[in-house]
Amino acid sequence: MPNTPLTVVRSKSGLRDAIANIHYSGQRVGFVPTMGALHNGHLSLIDLARTKSDFVAASIFVNPTQFAPGEDFETYPRDEDADLEKLASAGCNLVYLPTVEDMYPTGSLTDVRVPGPSDLLDGVYRPHFFYGVTTVVARLFIHVRPDVAVFGEKDFQQLQIIRQMTRDLGFEIEIVGGPTQRDPDGLAQSSRNRYLSDDQRRIAGALQAALVRAAARIEAGTALSTALAEARAFLRTAGFDKVDYISAVDATTLRDLPETRSEWPDITRLLGAAWIGKTRLIDNIPLTGA
Ligand code: PAF
């Protein structure tokens, strides 16, 4: 695709004028928030946003409030020049690179929290995480004023929590989930994959394999708790150092499924999080329903 002129906006005030003009001309604004270090997964979200809107805006902001002390905020990969090139070749129209002061003005006190789903699964292991995500995404929604926003299904829990927040706060924004992009061995594409050494990278594809095997075992009638325990054991045998969870949940509430299948909702999901060395990988696949 030919390079689209990409407007780079580095302040909230500059963004306000650019977006006002787009809305004034009657165009529908699509939005893809990111933390940069862009890969094909992000670019597929830009493609999807383009099919749902007339003008695609992305943001790049490594959000400090979703990292706990000791996590990788300082070392999180940052490569602005490469990111801008990728956005331009993907046909993105505008990128917003706010400052910390734009997102969290001095003296700022307001958090946006979705208690309940934010405290399950990843929320058990990273209790601050979703509170930081919903706070920054709500602020980005207010700055960008999109009609549609696209988030990757790779971060399925994040996507469902953002859907809930959008409903609760009455944002008139359509939330769309984009399919996970995978490497040939099944590893879900993620900015953090670049932390993996070659040896670790060879192991990493086992996370999706564990979920796919568990789904097949459950489909074949194996008890849920047995299939989930087998998946954890499979990961340890494959070389993962620690498994935070492998869980089968209601895709809407993110609550664990009961053992009795007749009590399951129509749409369910299998999610997992596990460590190779210092790198934590997450993934998920549908179990039943969409
Ligand atoms: O998924 C991400 O990259 C981040 O959590 C998001 C949604 C951009 C908020 O910082």
Side-chain angles (χ1 to χ4, degrees), residues 32-36 42 59 61-63 66 76 129 132-134 136-137 140 151-152 155 158 162 191:
V32 180
T34 82
M35 297 208 300
H42 293 112
S59 62
F61 180 67
V62 184
N63 173 35
Q66 67 191 75
Y76 193 83
F129 175 66
V133 169
T134 42
V136 81
V137 171
L140 286 167
F151 294 84
D155 299 298
Q158 168 174 282
I162 287 168
S191 305

Side-chain angles (χ1 to χ4, degrees), residues 157-240:
Q157 183 174 9
Q158 168 174 282
L159 170 64
Q160 297 306 73
I161 290 169
I162 287 168
R163 287 189 199 282
Q164 178 80 44
M165 175 194 79
T166 302
R167 278 195 302 273
D168 291 355
L169 297 183
F171 283 120
E172 288 177 5
I173 301 171
E174 181 192 353
I175 304 297
V176 174
T180 303
Q181 302 299 305
R182 298 184 180 280
D183 287 351
D185 67 345
L187 177 65
Q189 293 185 4
S190 160
S191 305
R192 288 189 169 101
N193 291 354
R194 53 179 94 180
Y195 296 156
L196 298 169
S197 68
D198 289 348
D199 284 348
Q200 292 174 331
R201 175 63 194 80
R202 278 189 278 279
I203 295 168
L207 180 52
Q208 190 225 18
L211 296 175
V212 169
R213 283 170 60 118
R217 295 276 289 148
I218 294 163
E219 169 83 6
T222 306
L224 189 56
S225 51
T226 307
L228 298 180
E230 284 172 1
R232 286 190 285 272
F234 176 85
L235 283 178
R236 282 189 292 265
T237 307
F240 274 78

Side-chain angles (χ1 to χ4, degrees), residues 21-217:
N21 284 336
I22 300 302
H23 279 306
Y24 186 70
S25 65
Q27 295 185 74
R28 191 171 150 85
V29 175
F31 179 43
V32 180
T34 82
M35 297 208 300
L38 302 179
H39 49 71
N40 286 339
H42 293 112
L43 303 183
S44 73
L45 303 181
I46 301 280
D47 286 347
L48 185 53
R50 201 173 333 93
T51 67
K52 307 256 168 204
S53 61
D54 308 301
F55 183 93
V56 178
S59 62
I60 299 178
F61 180 67
V62 184
N63 173 35
T65 65
Q66 67 191 75
F67 292 80
E71 288 190 342
D72 55 347
F73 174 68
E74 309 297 342
T75 55
Y76 193 83
R78 291 162 170 89
D79 192 349
E80 188 183 303
D81 290 346
D83 286 346
L84 297 189
E85 248 175 57
K86 288 176 191 169
L87 289 174
S89 16
C92 183
N93 300 102
L94 177 148
V95 59
Y96 179 40
L97 298 134
T99 61
V100 173
E101 183 61 24
D102 276 322
M103 294 315 302
Y104 298 106
T106 305
S108 166
L109 295 174
T110 306
D111 276 352
V112 176
R113 297 178 166 232
V114 184
S118 297
D119 308 317
L120 303 169
L121 300 163
D122 261 18
V124 172
Y125 298 88
R126 305 182 70 197
H128 57 283
F129 175 66
F130 291 112
Y131 293 130
V133 169
T134 42
T135 297
V136 81
V137 171
R139 288 171 184 228
L140 286 167
F141 280 178
I142 290 165
H143 294 195
V144 177
R145 291 181 290 126
D147 299 287
V148 53
V150 183
F151 294 84
E153 283 182 351
K154 176 192 165 256
D155 299 298
F156 188 79
Q157 183 174 9
Q158 168 174 282
L159 170 64
Q160 297 306 73
I161 290 169
I162 287 168
R163 287 189 199 282
Q164 178 80 44
M165 175 194 79
T166 302
R167 278 195 302 273
D168 291 355
L169 297 183
F171 283 120
E172 288 177 5
I173 301 171
E174 181 192 353
I175 304 297
V176 174
T180 303
Q181 302 299 305
R182 298 184 180 280
D183 287 351
D185 67 345
L187 177 65
Q189 293 185 4
S190 160
S191 305
R192 288 189 169 101
N193 291 354
R194 53 179 94 180
Y195 296 156
L196 298 169
S197 68
D198 289 348
D199 284 348
Q200 292 174 331
R201 175 63 194 80
R202 278 189 278 279
I203 295 168
L207 180 52
Q208 190 225 18
L211 296 175
V212 169
R213 283 170 60 118
R217 295 276 289 148

